[in-house]
Amino acid sequence: MPEGLRLDTPGVDDGAAIWRIARDSRVLDLNSSYSYLLWCRDFAATSVVARDGEGEPVGFITGYVRPEQEDTLLVWQVAVDRSQRGRGLAAAMLDGLVSRVAREQGVQRVETTVTPDNVPSNRLFTSFAERHRADVEREVLFDGPTFPGEGHEPEVLYLSLIHISEPPRLALTS
């Protein structure tokens, strides 16, 4: 981790900051501020927040263990504050989160959905699979017309089977 940043489990007090980071990303589907508060309360064990030297959130990943596939972590949202982008923080958060949830809850699979035009997320999950020597299966989970309104791209499901024998290195590159 770069000096002054650390990974932590989010708490309810982080909900507003996480909502602001999601809003300011200008690419995530923004949920209500209330949902981020609930997420930090109910899914903290399967989420992660990166904190700066003052303890303020500068990045987050929200996720949950799928109720009918308890060996699968679904990564819901990933966001990094503009001030921290380009330093590998998203990858470090993903590695740290998956390592913790694999160790504590026995997760062996990671899922996420990514729209085809989201180049940074496509790179993040492809490089995650490469770092962990995992195959990636891709299939359309929700086609564009499934969503209300017009203009939503399909959500492509990424599924990786992981083998975490030791926690991945969390060092970031600048």
Side-chain angles (χ1 to χ4, degrees):
M1 298 290 290
E3 187 174 330
L5 291 185
R6 64 184 170 89
L7 298 182
D8 196 10
T9 302
V12 172
D13 291 346
D14 297 316
I18 287 172
W19 177 84
R20 281 190 293 277
I21 293 168
R23 177 198 64 197
D24 294 348
S25 76
R26 300 181 188 234
V27 294
L28 290 179
D29 287 337
L30 185 62
N31 300 296
S32 72
S33 57
Y34 178 66
S35 70
Y36 290 92
L37 295 172
L38 284 175
W39 205 283
C40 289
R41 184 191 77 164
D42 295 340
F43 299 108
T46 53
S47 299
V48 68
V49 64
R51 299 186 188 281
D52 66 13
E54 284 85 49
E56 292 300 313
V58 294
F60 73 89
I61 297 178
T62 53
Y64 64 89
V65 173
R66 292 197 50 210
E68 294 187 18
Q69 281 188 297
E70 294 179 358
D71 68 341
T72 303
L73 172 68
L74 184 121
V75 173
W76 180 261
Q77 286 189 319
V78 178
V80 174
D81 185 82
R82 284 191 201 290
S83 68
Q84 301 298 323
R85 290 186 187 157
R87 302 176 69 190
L89 182 55
M93 289 190 302
L94 185 58
D95 285 348
L97 175 63
V98 171
S99 178
R100 175 171 45 93
V101 177
R103 188 176 57 252
E104 294 175 359
Q105 299 187 35
V107 162
Q108 297 175 19
R109 298 174 188 275
V110 177
E111 285 185 352
T112 194
T113 63
V114 180
T115 57
D117 68 340
N118 188 335
V119 174
S121 288
N122 282 298
R123 285 184 187 148
L124 174 65
F125 289 98
T126 300
S127 67
F128 172 83
E130 289 170 359
R131 281 192 309 281
H132 296 282
R133 296 179 183 91
D135 292 329
V136 177
E137 297 176 20
R138 293 175 185 89
E139 64 182 56
V140 173
L141 182 63
F142 301 119
D143 204 357
T146 305
F147 293 91
E150 293 182 25
H152 199 293
E153 290 211 50
E155 290 283 346
V156 177
L157 177 70
Y158 280 58
L159 172 63
S160 295
L161 178 62
I162 57 169
H163 302 284
I164 303 281
S165 56
E166 61 183 64
R169 287 189 11 232
L170 297 181
L172 299 178
T173 56
S174 31

